[in-house]
Amino acid sequence: MRSAAPPAVAPVASGRLPLLGHLPHLAVRRVEFLQSVRGQGDIVRIFLGNRPVFVLNSPEAVHEVMVTQGRKFGKGLLFDVARPFIGNGIITSERDLHRRQRRALQPAFRRESIAACVGTMAGIAQEQVAAWRPGEVIAMDLVLRRMMTAMLVATLFSAERPDGAAAVAALGERVAEHLTTVMRGVFVGTVLPARIAASPVLGHRRYLAAAAALRELADTAVRQARQDPAGHGDLLSAMFAPTPGNPDGMTDTEARDELLSLLMAGAETTSTTLAWALHELGRHPDITDRIKAECDALPADALPGAAALPFTDRFLREVLRLHQPSWILMRRALEPVRVRGVELPAGAELIYSAVTMHRDPAHFPDPLRFDPDRWLDRPEKDLPPGAYVPFALGSRKCIGDHFAMTEMLVVLRSIVSRWRPHPVRGHRVRPVVQALIRPDALPMRVSPWPTR
Ligand code: HEM
């Protein structure tokens, strides 16, 4: 039965300034600002200049927008800015096209397909980790970014490139560099008015050049894969395969757009999460000991997963809680819709921050304390839907969640089996909040485990 209560109006968050709205707060203390408005209502309005944006503050509001009323929402502003670069791939597309793309990509993300990639993932991680020297200071954030991009390139672009591991690593490095520039450009274009975002001072030309270079690399990968009739069971082969809605499989342009979408969604998210994971290991040697013991007890050929590495899995879930990299998600109302009693007009822009959800003391006591064992006291299934959302939820939930968890377990196992990471004395790690929240720099000293 429809509620007869008159619709509520979302209150305007405190701190709005003439002309600028809440932009100065978002410019200086983005994440803290969003957390500060949590107490002001389930849904509040903030202003980017004159543009109103509705902020979802409760798990219930998030769940309603993402799941129960999910079909009334499209993806919104961030994705308008990303679309010229990634085209209409799975992360930007809507409705029927999105459903078709998701169905086409799904086989590549099935558990057995991911299990088939574990050898490639482990090979890349172990090769890089084996090159470290005792006592060496590793630029962990950069190394992880290249490693995770190479991993994605190896599994997306081809599992067995004829030109070998070195070529994959080199390609991974090039892709990683362009990708960082593109992600930054998309973020700048989202928060700033188009005229300001296009300013050369903000690196707009660099952004366009990096986007063109990435497109070129993706086009080449698609062309090469198309010419290779054998296929390698990788993601590109899955894209070319016929599906019920698309008997000819994807065209080259569609496959290119999907590659770019997957690179954008899957490279920096995992490398940033892992950078925070390594940072926490540096701060908690006892946790490193527990992970090392768990990894040592696992037979070399066993597949990493929550059942085989339960503590390491809990550790990663806690990293994703406290250091959620995708700190802001956006949606747009496709029609007038009432959420938690608040009337939203068609075209309303919405955001929510998983960081706000993940640091809510109502669900995570002492939320800033890093404690993997909190998940023993209150497992995810006991939380209200919408309270813990590292991979979002609903029909647009991350398709790569299991892939990402597997990759991250593989990398942690490769690193911690050989090395203990230490923070570098005198270096303070600071979060930088752009498209993702990442450490500004993460130099770490590695020492080998004593031989017994
Ligand atoms: C720790 C790592 C990761 C995190 C935290 C993460 C998080 C997310 C989140 C929050 C979304 C929802 C975005 C939205 O609705 O606006 C998403 C979507 C998506 N992610 Fe991930 N992701 C991760 C890794 C990956 C990986 C490794 C891949 C692929 C290889 C991937 C592919 C995708 C795709 C394709 C979507 C769009 C799904 C759709 O719209 O149907 N992600 N991810």
Side-chain angles (χ1 to χ4, degrees), residues 297-317:
L298 194 69
D301 57 350
L303 283 179
L309 298 169
F311 177 73
T312 314
D313 182 76
R314 266 200 320 279
F315 163 74
L316 273 177
R317 287 180 199 280

Side-chain angles (χ1 to χ4, degrees), residues 66 75 78-79 90-93 98 102 105 109 152 156 235 258 261-263 265-271 273 320 324-326 328-331 352 389-393 395-401 403-405 407-408:
M66 304 295 280
K75 294 216 65 170
L78 177 72
F79 302 93
I90 182 172
I91 57 176
T92 42
S93 64
H98 171 257
R102 187 133 181 150
L105 292 185
F109 290 98
L152 207 51
L156 289 180
L235 286 167
E258 294 307 350
S261 289
L262 291 168
L263 278 175
E268 294 215 355
T269 39
T270 44
S271 68
T273 307
L320 281 166
Q324 169 66 32
S326 312
I328 189 166
L329 287 196
M330 302 194 173
R331 287 295 182 267
Y352 79 87
V389 282
F391 295 106
L393 63 178
S395 64
R396 310 295 305 235
K397 180 173 191 256
C398 179
I399 200 174
D401 55 352
F403 186 95
M405 289 303 284
E407 279 186 305
M408 295 192 293

Side-chain angles (χ1 to χ4, degrees), residues 75 83 86-106 239 243-246 249-251 253-255 257-258 261 334 395-396 399:
K75 294 216 65 170
R83 200 167 280 119
I86 41 175
N88 230 356
I90 182 172
I91 57 176
T92 42
S93 64
E94 313 267 16
R95 297 185 186 248
D96 283 353
L97 176 60
H98 171 257
R99 263 193 294 280
R100 264 209 319 278
Q101 286 162 319
R102 187 133 181 150
R103 214 174 301 137
L105 292 185
Q106 206 77 59
M239 292 179 201
T243 54
N246 193 1
M250 290 186 195
T251 64
T253 308
E254 285 165 345
D257 288 353
E258 294 307 350
S261 289
L334 299 172
S395 64
R396 310 295 305 235
I399 200 174

Side-chain angles (χ1 to χ4, degrees), residues 223-234:
R223 259 196 322 272
Q224 281 175 354
R226 188 73 86 181
Q227 283 160 6
D228 177 3
H232 292 299
D234 59 5

Side-chain angles (χ1 to χ4, degrees), residues 25-147:
H25 307 295
L26 282 167
V28 184
R29 292 166 62 80
R30 296 178 181 130
V31 177
E32 293 79 0
F33 171 66
L34 288 181
Q35 283 180 82
S36 76
V37 306
R38 182 173 45 213
Q40 297 178 28
D42 255 11
I43 301 181
V44 299
R45 264 177 305 158
I46 61 169
F47 284 81
L48 307 181
N50 292 328
R51 182 195 288 160
V53 174
F54 293 82
V55 183
L56 310 177
N57 278 330
S58 67
E60 292 79 10
V62 169
H63 189 255
E64 216 176 295
V65 168
M66 304 295 280
V67 182
T68 40
Q69 304 211 66
R71 61 181 183 78
K72 297 181 185 159
F73 295 90
K75 294 216 65 170
L77 200 57
L78 177 72
F79 302 93
D80 293 348
V81 178
R83 200 167 280 119
F85 157 60
I86 41 175
N88 230 356
I90 182 172
I91 57 176
T92 42
S93 64
E94 313 267 16
R95 297 185 186 248
D96 283 353
L97 176 60
H98 171 257
R99 263 193 294 280
R100 264 209 319 278
Q101 286 162 319
R102 187 133 181 150
R103 214 174 301 137
L105 292 185
Q106 206 77 59
F109 290 98
R110 285 203 195 108
R111 280 173 195 255
E112 57 278 15
S113 313
I114 295 169
C117 294
V118 166
T120 308
M121 294 173 181
I124 289 172
Q126 280 159 15
E127 191 180 308
Q128 300 207 13
V129 164
W132 298 352
R133 295 287 154 251
E136 189 179 354
V137 173
I138 307 291
M140 206 56 93
D141 50 331
L142 298 183
V143 166
L144 288 169
R145 195 183 310 159
R146 288 181 194 141
M147 187 191 289

Side-chain angles (χ1 to χ4, degrees), residues 171-206:
L171 186 58
E173 203 159 307
R174 259 175 33 235
V175 171
E177 230 157 78
H178 296 320
L179 210 52
T180 306
T181 312
V182 168
M183 299 269 286
R184 187 179 169 280
V186 169
F187 177 70
V188 168
T190 306
V191 290
L192 294 178
R195 239 175 340 115
I196 302 176
S199 145
V201 184
L202 294 174
H204 191 64
R205 264 192 224 122
R206 249 192 341 272

